[in-house]
Amino acid sequence: MEVKLFQRTQRDLAASINLVIDKYWEDSISEEDMVKLINKLYINNEEKFKRNGNYTTVLRQQCGKRRLSVVSKVLQPKEVS
């Protein structure tokens, strides 16, 4: 699956996040691929993701709670049990 890693606007970033997570929910891509893509999007667009520790307003409006909860879990540091 091809997704541009460097997004021009927050709306473009939100559309890419939605696409990646929706493809995962449709079983079109694996969980591993989804995690890699979300991490790459975050690394390359960090300033468009969060402001003052919270997701930007545009991301919250465009992506919604369910998708952002998936993004939050992907971006959390991994805890080893």
Side-chain angles (χ1 to χ4, degrees), residues 28-81:
S28 298
I29 62 171
S30 69
E31 182 175 337
E32 185 178 322
D33 290 339
M34 185 260 308
V35 169
K36 285 179 186 176
L37 286 168
I38 296 294
N39 279 318
K40 287 178 183 178
L41 283 169
Y42 179 73
I43 289 167
N44 293 320
N45 301 283
E46 198 167 347
E47 70 285 351
K48 293 180 188 84
F49 250 92
K50 292 189 175 187
R51 294 243 167 82
N52 301 327
N54 295 322
Y55 292 109
T56 61
T57 304
V58 172
L59 247 61
R60 286 190 304 232
Q61 289 172 343
Q62 299 292 314
C63 294
K65 289 180 183 178
R66 285 190 194 147
R67 289 189 192 101
L68 287 181
S69 71
V70 171
V71 170
S72 294
K73 288 180 172 129
V74 166
L75 296 177
Q76 281 178 353
K78 306 290 184 267
E79 294 181 16
V80 178
S81 344

Side-chain angles (χ1 to χ4, degrees), residues 14-31:
S16 293
I17 291 168
N18 291 348
L19 177 68
V20 169
I21 293 176
D22 289 349
K23 290 291 183 187
Y24 169 68
W25 283 340
E26 294 167 0
D27 293 326
S28 298
I29 62 171
S30 69
E31 182 175 337

